[in-house]
Amino acid sequence: MSGRILLVTGAGGVGKTTIAAAAGVTSARRGTATLVVTVDPARRLADALGVGSLGNVPTQVAGEPQLWAAMLDVTASWEAIVARHADPEIGDRLVNNPFFRAIADRFPAAQAYAAGEQMAEFVENGAWDVVIVDTPPSIGGIDFLLAPAQVRDLIGGTLLRWLTGARLPARRALYRVAARPALRLADMVLGGPLLEEIADFLLDLRTLYDGVAQRAKSVDRHLRSARTVVVTNAYPTPLREARRFFEELPEGSVVPNAVVFNRELPHEWETITAVPGNGGDLDPPTWTALRDNLLRWATEARRNADARADFAARYRATLASAPWLPQPPTDLDALAGLVAAAPGLEEALFG
Amino acid sequence: MFSRRLLLVSGKGGVGKSAVATSLALAAARRGSRVLLMGMVDALGLAIHLGVDDLGPEPRQTSPGVHASVLDRANALDEYLRLQVHLPRAMPTKQVTRALNVLVETAPGVREIVSMGKPIFEAQRRAWDMVVVDAPPLGQLISYLRAPATIERLVPTGAVQRQAAAMRRFLGNPERSGLVLVTLPEELPITETVSALTELAKEPLIDLAKVVANRVLGGLDVPAHVVAGLPDGPLRHAAELHQTLTTQQRFWLEAIGEATLLPQLFGLMTPGEVAARLTDLWDDA
C-alpha cells in the first residue's frame, strides 16, 4: 500500500469501527504488521478484537500474530500533550484548571489533534508497517484533517488576542497593564472574576505553543500522506458528512481515496420490481408476505443505489460497497470475511 | 407531550433526530398550535426535512402554523446578555465584548447556556404555543442540560446567576419542558441512550417526555422453517435478512423499556417525504 496510515473516517454510527477492524485483520493476514487504533468500539466488536480493557498501549491481538490494537482515549491524550509540551509546574496548573476541561471537551479540533499526535507517535514508532486509525465519532468528519492548524491557532493565541486586544503582549506584566482593566469591567458585569482567570489560563496555555506548532506540522504531514477512506450509508446525515470531504477541505488538501457505502443490500435486488409465480405449495398469505417483503427490500436497495449513483456523479472517488451484515461480526474470521465478501472493498481500503 | 411549551429532541447522530423534530412540529401545528421549530446545531437537518433551501436566525413560516429558525451563534451571546440577562445594549468598550466572546469559548457551561437560553426564551414568548428544538446530539446533551447549574456555581451572584436559576427551573418543570430521545434499535445508539437515561434518572435535569425508536421493522409473519425451505434466491435471502434484523432489533429494544416505535420507511426518497409520513404517524398515535 502507498501510505503507512489508513484513515477510516465518516459520520458516527455508519460502521467505521467495524470497517477499520476488518481492514486491520485483512492487512495482518496479508502478512503486514498492523496496528488498529480504535475508539470506543461496540461491546461485541471489542470482544472480537480482544480489546475490552485496552488503554493507549498497543496490545497484540490473540491468534493474529501480525495484528495489534489500541484504544484511543482522547481525554488522556490531551493531558499527554500538556505533559509533553509544558514545563512541569505550568502543566500541573493547566491540567487542574477548570477551563482546561472545558477546552478539552469543547473543541473537537483539540480532541482530534490529540488523537493525531497519538497516531503520529504510533507511526513514528516504526513497529508497524500499517497504522489503521478509526476516527472518533465526535470528530468523524473533516475536523480530523483540519485539527492541527486549528489547535496551533488556539494555543498560539487566537483567543488570547480576542481577550487582550489586537497586539498580543509578549509578557505577562504587559498584559496586566494593557488588558486587565477591561477584563475587570467585564467581570463586574458578570458577577465573578471569570475573565481574569481565563486570561491567566490562556497565558499558561500559550507556553505550549512552540512545541505544539512543531508537532502539529508533523501530524499534518502524516495526515496528508495517509490513505483516507470515508465510510457512509445512504441516509442523509452520513452522506452530508461524506460530501464535506469533497467540498469543504481547503485548497491543496488530499481528497479521500475511496468512499465505502456500508450496509449495502445485494445489488441484484435493485432491479426486482415484481416477483413472478404464485408461490406454488405456499399458502396464499405466506406467499403474499414473502413477496411483499422482497419488494420492500428491493425499493430500499434502489434507494441505496440512487444515493450511490448520485454520489458517483458528483465526485470523482472510488466507490465500494460493504454488505449489510444482520449479525455484527463477533470474531476475527467474520471481520476478514466482511472484506473478502465485498467486491472492490479490499482495493478501496488498500489501493 | 403536545401540551408542553418546550420539547428538546436529541439522540445520537444519524438516528433521525431532525426528521423526528420536524414531524413533531408539523404534528403539533396540525393540532392547532403555533410552533417554532429551532435548529440548535445547524440549519441543514431541519431545512431538508422542511423542504426549504436554508434557515436563518429569523423565524420564517415554512408551512401553516410552523415557523423555523436556526440558532445564530455569532449573535447568541449578545442576545443572551441583552434579552435575557437584561444588560445594557452597548458594553463599555469593544474589548469587553471581545473578552466576553472568549468566555463563551473557554468557560464550562457558558456556550451551552447561551445556546440553551434562546429556545427557553422563545418558549416563554406568547408568539408560540410550542417550541420544538433539534437539540445537540446525545453526547453533548447532558452538558447543555447541566449548563444552568454549572453557571450558578461559576458565577456566584448577579444577573447572570439569577437568569441561570430561572432557566434551570424552566427546564426542570415537567409541565413546561420535556425531552424526546430518539434512538435506533441497534447496539451503539441503544447503549448510548441507556447511559443517558441512567444519568438523567440520577440527575433530574429535564422530564423525559418520550423515547422514540426509529426505523423499527415490522414482523414478517412466516415461520422460520418455511423460510428455510424456500429455494435459494432473493425471496429467501430477503426473508432471512428481515427476520434476523427483527430478532436483533427486538433484543435491543428490550433494553430501553417503553418507547414509541416509528417504522422503517422503505424506499422513501426525500427527507420531506420521511417527515410527512412521520407526521401522519403522530396523528394516529
Side-chain angles (χ1 to χ4, degrees), chain A residues 162 165 190 263 293 300 327, chain B residues 98 155 186-187 242 248 267:
Chain A
W162 287 356
L190 288 169
R263 287 196 171 183
N293 180 63
E300 193 67 7
Q327 308 257 29
Chain B
R98 218 171 34 214
V155 185
E186 294 169 20
E187 179 169 9
H242 193 99
Q248 297 271 326

Side-chain angles (χ1 to χ4, degrees), chain A:
Chain A
M1 83 187 259
S2 53
R4 291 165 43 82
I5 303 174
L6 171 62
L7 205 60
V8 181
T9 184
V14 294
K16 254 183 323 204
T17 305
T18 305
I19 299 282
V25 180
T26 305
S27 164
R29 290 189 177 178
R30 285 158 44 133
T32 315
T34 305
L35 170 65
V36 177
V37 185
T38 187
V39 192
D40 194 24
R43 184 77 257 138
R44 289 184 290 181
L45 180 63
D47 290 345
L49 279 174
V51 295
S53 58
L54 268 193
N56 291 1
V57 182
T59 305
Q60 185 151 22
V61 174
E64 205 63 60
Q66 296 284 5
L67 185 62
W68 283 257
M71 295 264 273
L72 198 60
D73 174 358
V74 279
T75 49
S77 309
W78 187 235
E79 279 171 19
I81 291 172
V82 171
R84 190 157 43 230
H85 298 299
D87 85 35
E89 194 193 329
I90 294 179
D92 267 1
R93 208 157 59 208
L94 274 174
V95 176
N96 293 315
N97 189 300
F99 302 119
F100 178 76
R101 246 302 74 83
I103 281 214
D105 292 346
R106 180 72 51 72
F107 280 91
Q111 263 191 20
Y113 173 71
E117 266 206 14
Q118 204 181 19
M119 173 195 79
E121 264 173 62
F122 291 139
V123 173
E124 288 157 13
N125 174 300
W128 301 281
D129 301 322
V130 179
V131 176
I132 298 175
V133 182
D134 162 29
T135 55
S138 56
I139 48 174
I142 60 175
D143 299 323
F144 194 73
L145 301 177
L146 302 176
Q150 287 173 353
V151 166
R152 205 168 50 214
D153 285 353
L154 166 70
I155 291 176
T158 312
L159 290 176
L160 200 57
R161 243 181 340 261
W162 287 356
L163 194 57
T164 58
R167 271 174 306 158
L168 193 60
R171 280 173 295 151
R172 274 195 135 86
L174 281 176
Y175 136 75
R176 290 183 193 283
V177 179
R180 207 173 216 185
L183 301 185
R184 280 247 164 104
L185 202 57
D187 276 342
M188 269 167 54
V189 170
L190 288 169
L194 279 173
L195 289 162
E196 281 197 79
E197 283 176 25
I198 289 173
D200 278 331
F201 163 69
L202 290 175
L203 285 165
D204 277 346
L205 195 64
R206 194 162 175 249
T207 65
L208 275 63
Y209 182 70
D210 288 343
V212 168
Q214 207 183 1
R215 195 71 181 124
K217 253 190 229 158
S218 60
V219 172
D220 214 18
R221 209 173 42 242
H222 286 307
L223 286 174
R224 278 166 195 281
S225 74
R227 185 173 175 84
T228 308
V229 174
V230 179
V231 183
T232 185
N233 58 32
Y235 281 97
T237 307
L239 275 175
R240 196 195 311 162
E241 198 57 50
R243 284 197 198 108
R244 290 181 69 207
F245 282 89
F246 295 88
E247 290 178 356
E248 291 179 27
L249 280 177
E251 203 70 27
S253 305
V254 185
V255 294
N257 298 79
V259 177
V260 174
F261 279 75
N262 196 16
R263 287 196 171 183
E264 289 281 272
L265 297 165
H267 292 332
E268 63 269 23
W269 292 7
E270 290 160 14
T271 51
I272 296 176
T273 51
V275 185
N278 57 11
D281 298 342
L282 296 169
D283 66 89
T286 301
W287 166 246
T288 308
L290 287 168
R291 187 195 59 196
D292 291 352
N293 180 63
L294 174 57
L295 291 175
R296 271 197 303 270
W297 283 104
T299 57
E300 193 67 7
R302 278 192 287 282
R303 193 177 70 87
N304 291 358
D306 287 346
R308 229 182 311 120
D310 180 59
F311 204 95
R314 277 177 204 240
Y315 311 108
R316 281 182 49 197
T318 304
L319 300 192
S321 296
W324 193 341
L325 304 176
Q327 308 257 29
T330 50
D331 60 33
L332 298 165
D333 288 341
L335 283 168
L338 170 61
V339 177
L345 183 54
E346 188 163 349
E347 170 81 14
L349 290 169
F350 301 107

Side-chain angles (χ1 to χ4, degrees), chain B residues 2 17 29 34 42 90 121 132 152 159 169 197 225 275 277:
Chain B
F2 289 102
K17 194 164 62 72
R34 294 158 305 157
D42 66 12
F121 174 76
V132 179
E152 281 180 82
R169 286 192 298 271
L197 290 174
H225 72 268
R277 187 79 75 84

Side-chain angles (χ1 to χ4, degrees), chain B residues 92-106:
Chain B
T93 65
K94 252 185 172 169
Q95 206 176 24
V96 173
T97 318
R98 218 171 34 214
L100 287 172
N101 273 312
V102 177
L103 182 77
V104 176
E105 296 299 331
T106 45

Side-chain angles (χ1 to χ4, degrees), chain B residues 1-5 7 24 130 179-180 209-210 212 282:
Chain B
M1 183 169 60
F2 289 102
S3 66
R4 309 201 198 206
R5 297 198 64 88
L7 276 186
L24 282 169
M130 181 186 233
L179 173 67
V180 176
K210 225 172 233 331
V212 175
W282 291 117

